[in-house]
Amino acid sequence: MKPINEVRSVMTPLNRKNVDTDQIISKEFLKRIERTGFGKYLFHHWRFHSDGTENKEFVLNDARFKDSKVLVAHDNFGCGSSREHAPWAILDYGFEVVIAPSFADIFHNNCFKNGILPIRLRVEEVEELLSKGESAAPYTLEINLEQQTVTGEDGKTYGFDIDPYYKQMLLNGWDEIALTFQYEEQIAAYEKQHA
Amino acid sequence: MAKTIIEKIWEQHIVYEEQGKPDLLYIDLHLLHEVTSPQAFEGLRLAGRKVRRPDLCFATMDHNVPTRNLPIINDPIAKKQITTLEKNCEEFGIELADMEHPDQGIVHIIGPELGLTQPGKTIVCGDSHTSTHGAFGAIAFGIGTSEVEHVLSTQTLWQSKPKTMEIRINGKLGFGVTAKDVILAIIAKFGIDVGTGHIAEYTGEAIRSMTMEERMTICNMSIEAGAKAGLISPDETTIEYLRGRRHVPEGEAFEEAAEKWLSLATDEGAVYDTVLEIDANEIEPFITWGTNPSMGSGISANVPSSEDFADESDKEALKKALAYMGLEEGTPLTEIEIQHVFIGSCTNARLSDLRAAAEVIAGQKVHPNVTAIVVPGSRTVKRQAEEEGLDHVFLEAGFEWRESGCSMCLAMNDDVVPAGERCASTSNRNFEGRQGAGSRTHLMSPAMAAAAAISGHFTDVRKMKLAHV
């Protein structure tokens, strides 16, 4: 997993609540047996009309947000299924950071396993960013995981909380399974005790 | 100190704990299916790792299997996923109920059927409806593929201790009101993210009088309220369901296990972080009208109007949802016409669900504008239903009688609702495009879906039942 610390990028404002994993990656794209190549299917049914042409109204098709690494959305982002294809699609498309007031639990967990930084900010703060991201587009954000800050191009800085364990995972790009192998003795002891 | 069942099971499974870290939890049962496991097995191979406890894993094929013309799979990519699972199970020594195995079925239906699901266990699967198994008093939750790989190689997971929630259903359910109506009403009342960060325990008189199959329907949709898991303290109903199942202990050992299981129930006076309450008598047969599971109402209501909401973003969400669903504000729900009926899914495809639907349709015909299918949750359910003659009831009414699988719940196989058409569905999600691009899903109980199949529009099944009496 690629370590992540500082990200500087235009933000993509996706002003919707309850963005579910069926929208992030629709089920017709879940049949692949690889982890890669899902980016081109991200938000497929919002990005494309049923005849395959681009939906110009959708934010990902707006040229001002091309090459954006930061997605900003509203409450309860990633609700629905456990499919890790959702964060795989987000990462493969090019997003490294997702900012929202709240995330669904399984999606939130899945982000940390893939080097995506999910940032929870207060609702007012996210709404402020969404508003700047829409009215002053393209609007650039600087994210610093070490410092736990998001800074707008007007200099306003927002602090965020993150679980220290997951922060270290992301900063170092650790392989969690390799870390867990260090607890082999405890796992074996547990198994012996409960056999 | 009095403890909830959630705390008891959690504490019993801690392998390692340290300040500032999540707990390292032992996992007792790992269920696998074809869609969320291939990348995990590939990860093991690339790193030269093995499966630590193949004996604690069980696999089946459900998400993209066809429900007719078995064993032919027309979609080559789906077929590759199926053969990949066969290959992986063989290579790593994992028991598999493949497409034609007599035990095959939706993973959350067969776990309980086989007695793999037991009180006090920690159960995971790469599927969010793993919460179903909580009905037995287990901590059961969905995980991503990286976590599937982690469990395969270590039989553990790092998990931050969730908050505890009690969802109490007071009083008795009214005539014609089912478990599905209860969980849909809970989600509509409290919202699709009320459970975020929590494991929920369902309590109250209505829950205690439910069968295990009804309890599974309730726990199944915990994730639709945002909860990581949902469970119910074991009681005699739980014990009697498990007695004699293939993977539970026998004889004296069963009685010992039963005693231990019953002791897991939440202690009198235990305190939860959050408590929600709902009165059973305020719940009527329920359907959804929108594009997430909280957008639902009792059948006697109308499609909401924007005046019903104070918040601007809620008004906007309503507008978007109704535009997608092709509905007008204020339309009585009973006037909405449908083209499809799907009776199936891990929420409502057990024997009692099929019986409930069959009771409503017996001797009647599916409306000429409606295509209706029944997809039993497992091959065992299908066999049992056929032994009772339920297949004839459905076929004579004009339903299609299919093989088991997830089918039209998420439409990964050929069972798809066409764009712009409307489906009365016993499944769990009504997100945009869930049953096919542009499809319009309305969630409800098997009895309500059966009533809609006959009348061609949503119907209060209680009136239909009373007409029978």
Side-chain angles (χ1 to χ4, degrees), chain B residues 1-135:
Chain B
M1 199 186 77
K3 283 181 182 169
T4 66
I5 179 171
I6 303 162
E7 293 157 303
K8 292 186 201 180
I9 300 175
W10 191 275
E11 286 165 13
Q12 284 174 11
H13 288 82
I14 295 175
V15 170
Y16 179 79
E17 58 186 330
E18 184 186 323
Q19 194 71 27
K21 268 190 175 175
D23 293 334
L24 187 62
L25 280 196
Y26 199 79
I27 303 302
D28 296 321
L29 175 63
H30 188 188
L31 301 165
L32 297 126
H33 63 85
E34 76 277 20
V35 176
T36 56
S37 68
Q39 294 88 350
F41 284 111
E42 186 59 16
L44 292 188
R45 262 191 296 274
L46 289 173
R49 292 169 178 156
K50 60 182 181 62
V51 175
R52 182 184 178 86
R53 294 292 302 269
D55 58 316
L56 300 182
C57 299
F58 187 88
T60 192
M61 300 162 170
D62 53 7
H63 278 63
N64 67 29
V65 296
T67 57
R68 53 185 163 186
N69 303 327
L70 284 179
I72 301 156
I73 307 177
N74 296 317
D75 179 347
I77 318 176
K79 191 170 180 177
K80 185 153 190 207
Q81 249 181 3
I82 297 284
T83 52
T84 301
L85 182 63
E86 285 169 346
K87 203 172 62 107
N88 285 330
C89 287
E90 195 182 335
E91 180 180 340
F92 292 99
I94 291 169
E95 189 178 349
L96 167 71
D98 68 16
M99 221 162 56
E100 294 180 272
H101 194 284
D103 293 335
Q104 180 273 348
I106 305 174
V107 65
H108 309 311
I109 301 230
I110 66 177
E113 265 175 7
L114 297 172
L116 289 162
T117 304
Q118 292 170 13
K121 278 191 177 182
T122 47
I123 303 174
V124 296
C125 174
D127 188 282
S128 58
H129 293 109
T130 307
S131 57
T132 312
H133 307 266

Side-chain angles (χ1 to χ4, degrees), chain B residues 27 53 66 73 76 109 155 205 216 362 385 412 437-438 445 467:
Chain B
I27 303 302
R53 294 292 302 269
I73 307 177
I109 301 230
Q155 205 55 38
E205 191 184 346
M216 285 187 248
M412 277 191 75
S445 71

Side-chain angles (χ1 to χ4, degrees), chain A residues 17 20 22-23 27 30-32 34-35 46 80 82 84 105 109-110 175 180 183-184 190-191, chain B residues 12 21 26 39 49 52 75 81 145-147 149-150 158 197 313 410 412 429 432-434 436:
Chain A
K17 285 184 181 175
D20 61 78
D22 277 81
Q23 308 318 314
K27 76 276 174 175
L30 301 183
K31 294 171 191 166
R32 298 163 57 82
E34 300 85 19
R35 281 176 198 255
W46 287 349
S82 65
E84 201 161 310
D105 288 335
N109 222 3
N110 282 341
D175 170 1
T180 308
Y183 299 88
E184 168 58 33
Y190 182 94
E191 285 179 329
Chain B
Q12 284 174 11
K21 268 190 175 175
Y26 199 79
Q39 294 88 350
R49 292 169 178 156
R52 182 184 178 86
D75 179 347
Q81 249 181 3
T145 299
S146 295
E147 289 181 315
E149 187 178 336
H150 193 280
W158 294 97
S313 72
L410 83 169
M412 277 191 75
R429 288 198 177 123
E432 286 182 25
R434 175 78 179 178

Side-chain angles (χ1 to χ4, degrees), chain B residues 92-361:
Chain B
F92 292 99
I94 291 169
E95 189 178 349
L96 167 71
D98 68 16
M99 221 162 56
E100 294 180 272
H101 194 284
D103 293 335
Q104 180 273 348
I106 305 174
V107 65
H108 309 311
I109 301 230
I110 66 177
E113 265 175 7
L114 297 172
L116 289 162
T117 304
Q118 292 170 13
K121 278 191 177 182
T122 47
I123 303 174
V124 296
C125 174
D127 188 282
S128 58
H129 293 109
T130 307
S131 57
T132 312
H133 307 266
F136 291 80
I139 290 186
F141 54 94
I143 56 177
T145 299
S146 295
E147 289 181 315
V148 169
E149 187 178 336
H150 193 280
V151 178
L152 286 172
S153 34
T154 68
Q155 205 55 38
T156 63
L157 272 181
W158 294 97
Q159 291 287 309
S160 305
K161 195 171 176 196
K163 287 186 275 192
T164 58
M165 174 181 276
E166 179 184 20
I167 302 179
R168 194 184 315 147
I169 300 116
N170 293 317
K172 286 191 172 72
L173 295 179
F175 169 73
V177 179
T178 69
K180 183 65 163 286
D181 304 311
V182 172
I183 190 64
L184 286 174
I186 288 171
I187 298 163
K189 180 167 181 168
F190 300 110
I192 56 169
D193 55 0
V194 70
T196 305
H198 289 80
I199 293 181
E201 179 180 1
Y202 300 93
T203 66
E205 191 184 346
I207 294 289
R208 284 295 138 216
S209 37
M210 281 183 189
T211 64
M212 286 315 295
E213 298 201 347
E214 292 172 312
R215 294 178 187 184
M216 285 187 248
T217 298
I218 299 274
C219 290
N220 172 275
M221 289 189 71
S222 302
I223 185 74
E224 267 63 62
K228 183 184 189 74
L231 49 65
I232 293 171
S233 284
D235 57 13
E236 285 303 327
T237 305
T238 321
I239 304 302
E240 288 318 308
Y241 177 96
L242 287 168
R243 192 185 296 278
R245 300 215 173 238
R246 197 186 305 168
H247 289 271
V248 298
E250 287 174 43
E252 195 53 37
F254 181 82
E255 303 309 325
E256 277 172 32
E259 202 176 311
K260 213 173 77 192
W261 292 337
L262 290 172
S263 74
L264 291 168
T266 291
D267 298 331
E268 187 80 39
V271 179
Y272 301 84
D273 295 307
T274 310
V275 178
L276 307 177
E277 282 186 77
I278 188 166
D279 286 326
N281 61 20
E282 72 181 64
I283 303 172
E284 60 168 355
F286 220 84
I287 72 170
T288 64
W289 41 261
T291 53
N292 78 48
S294 72
M295 294 173 151
S297 308
I299 184 64
S300 57
N302 297 342
V303 174
S305 303
S306 53
E307 302 93 75
D308 300 337
F309 298 93
D311 190 82
E312 269 314 307
S313 72
D314 288 339
K315 287 180 197 285
E316 186 58 28
L318 174 75
K319 218 173 90 190
K320 267 193 179 133
L322 296 188
Y324 180 85
M325 295 297 287
L327 294 174
E328 298 289 334
E329 295 184 12
T331 307
L333 293 175
T334 50
E335 286 179 13
I336 300 171
E337 295 183 352
I338 57 156
Q339 293 78 43
H340 298 267
V341 169
F342 169 60
I343 295 178
S345 88
C346 57
T347 315
N348 279 127
R350 297 177 192 86
L351 188 59
S352 57
D353 298 314
L354 304 193
R355 282 178 184 156
E359 186 196 332
V360 172
I361 63 161

